[in-house]
Each structure stands twice: as structure tokens, then as C-alpha cells.
Amino acid sequence: MNNVIDFISIKKKKQEEQIIKLFSKANSFKNRGQIDKLVREKTIAVNDHKLFLAFIAYLEEKQIKPSKIFKDVLTLPKHQFEQQYEMNWYSIVQLCFTFLAILKENDYEQYEQFLSEH
């Protein structure tokens, strides 16, 4: 049984690697096609929703607009983002990706507007 390949874990790890590669470049909006592809492939677990909602509550407490931080994580270099927000870049990239997947599923017009503003 130890030799059974865990396809879900492999797929998730591969997707995370693609996300990091894409978002590690400043101004990731230039790779719109790749963002759309990764968002299409994203499957959101219940835990993703819980973490996302907790993060949104944290941002409200800190009076930070969610759209601002998610745009900044896509446009700023990693070191600049972490210095400005004092947050872990990788974690916010994951939350941004959840945001994009939820937005695309629930309000495609707003999703398009968010990605086309740059």
C-alpha cells in the first residue's frame, strides 16, 4: 500500500509550484492566460474558504482593502510586498488564488475587471 501514488497530493504540489513560479515575478498580470488556466484548475476545499474568510476578517480589522492586497501580491516583488505588509508572501499568494477562484465562480464580470485593471 505504501507504493500507491497519491495523485491528489502530486497534482496539488505541481499546481502550487506553478503558482509560485507565476506569482514570483513582479507584475504577474502580464501572464493573464496562465492565471486563467491555474484558476480553472483550482479546486477549493472547505478549509480554503475558512482560511480565506478569516483573512478577510483580519484585513477588515487592519483596515486594508482585500482587492488592494491581492493586486499588490500580483504586482510587487516578493521582498517589497513582505516589507510593505509584514505578511508572508507565499501565504498571501495562496489566499489570492483562492480569491480569484471564488470570484471567477461567483462573479465572472468582476473577475474579468480585477484582472484587466493592469
Side-chain angles (χ1 to χ4, degrees):
M1 199 64 150
N2 289 338
N3 293 333
V4 175
I5 298 173
D6 185 356
F7 290 106
I8 295 171
S9 294
I10 292 171
K11 181 180 178 185
K12 185 176 180 178
K13 183 176 181 187
K14 183 177 179 181
Q15 189 178 46
E16 287 177 2
E17 289 170 356
Q18 290 173 334
I19 291 169
I20 291 169
K21 183 178 177 184
L22 175 66
F23 287 108
S24 65
K25 303 170 189 165
N27 202 7
S28 298
F29 282 103
K30 292 180 181 179
N31 299 309
R32 171 67 192 273
Q34 185 67 17
I35 291 172
D36 282 335
K37 178 183 176 286
L38 292 171
V39 170
R40 256 191 329 272
E41 294 173 355
K42 174 76 173 169
T43 54
I44 300 174
V46 172
N47 196 41
D48 293 333
H49 278 282
K50 288 180 183 177
L51 289 172
F52 180 76
L53 293 174
F55 181 66
I56 296 300
Y58 172 80
L59 292 178
E60 286 178 5
E61 184 180 301
K62 298 292 184 181
Q63 299 180 343
I64 300 172
K65 291 180 110 178
S67 60
K68 169 92 170 103
I69 199 166
F70 293 138
K71 286 178 185 176
D72 285 350
V73 81
L74 293 174
T75 55
L76 297 176
K78 178 182 182 284
H79 69 279
Q80 187 178 348
F81 178 85
E82 288 183 340
Q83 183 177 23
Q84 181 174 334
Y85 287 101
E86 297 181 355
M87 295 180 188
N88 180 281
W89 176 86
Y90 176 77
S91 296
I92 307 307
V93 165
Q94 293 297 319
L95 289 163
C96 178
F97 204 72
T98 300
F99 166 75
L100 290 173
I102 292 170
L103 192 60
K104 185 173 185 178
E105 184 177 313
N106 294 312
D107 191 343
Y108 188 77
E109 188 175 303
Q110 192 174 4
Y111 168 81
E112 285 292 323
Q113 181 181 353
F114 180 86
L115 290 179
S116 65
E117 289 181 354
H118 288 274

